[in-house]
Amino acid sequence: MVNRLSRRTLGATHPSTTIKIQAIALGASVVIVAHSLGCLTVAHWAAKTHSTIKAALLVAVPDPDGPNFPPEAIGFSPLPLQRFPFPSTVVVSTDAPYGSLAHSQACATVWGSRLVNIGAAGHINASSALGQWPEGYALLQSLLGTK
C-alpha cells in the first residue's frame, strides 16, 4: 500500500521540514523512496525519531547550503550528519543541479548509505527522460534484498 501526502498538505509554497516531519508516522515494515527535498526530510526525521523503518532509497539529494538550493525551501540546514539506523541507498547524478557529487558522497558516507552514481541524469526526474526507470526499481529491489 502506498500512502502519499500532497504538496499542498506539506507546504508547496514554502517547503519546510517542520511540516513534513510532523506528518510522518512510520513502522518497521515501511520503505521510504524519497526524491530531492524528501531526502533531506528523511535525514531530519531519522535524527529525531525513535521509530524505525525497513529501508530508504534517497534519490537526488540536494545541498541545502549550495548555491542553487531554492531560497523558499526553509528549515533544511544544517543537515543532520549522523548514521541512519536503517539500510539506505543514495542515488546521485553527476550533473545534478541542486547538489554536487561530492555532497552526495559526503551524505552517503555519514548516513551509512550505499552510493550509486548513475552518471549524467540531471535531477533524476521526469526531465531526465528516464521513463519508467527500471534501473531505479532494481536499486530498490537490491536495497530490500529481493533481487
Side-chain angles (χ1 to χ4, degrees):
M1 178 176 172
V2 176
N3 291 316
R4 295 182 184 189
L5 297 173
S6 71
R7 286 194 61 160
R8 182 175 313 165
T9 303
L10 299 179
T13 305
H14 297 288
S16 166
T17 57
T18 304
I19 296 168
K20 293 177 185 177
I21 289 173
Q22 291 174 356
I24 298 175
L26 304 175
S29 63
V30 171
V31 176
I32 296 176
V33 177
H35 177 265
S36 194
L37 293 180
C39 301
L40 303 184
T41 302
V42 169
H44 281 276
W45 172 80
K48 294 179 181 181
T49 189
H50 296 289
S51 299
T52 188
I53 61 171
K54 186 171 183 176
L57 180 66
L58 308 172
V59 180
V61 178
D63 181 352
D65 298 314
N68 295 327
F69 193 75
E72 61 275 3
I74 57 173
F76 293 97
S77 183
L79 190 58
L81 299 176
Q82 60 193 56
R83 188 173 190 84
F84 293 159
F86 48 82
S88 58
T89 297
V90 170
V91 183
V92 63
S93 166
T94 56
D95 61 348
Y98 301 111
S100 67
L101 177 59
H103 172 74
S104 291
Q105 289 170 325
C107 288
T109 297
V110 297
W111 294 339
S113 304
R114 173 181 169 218
L115 180 74
V116 176
N117 180 340
I118 64 167
H123 195 46
I124 314 175
N125 58 11
S127 298
S128 302
L130 298 172
Q132 292 293 316
W133 198 36
E135 296 85 359
Y137 185 68
L139 289 171
L140 178 61
Q141 288 179 311
S142 176
L143 175 62
L144 298 178
T146 58
K147 182 177 180 186

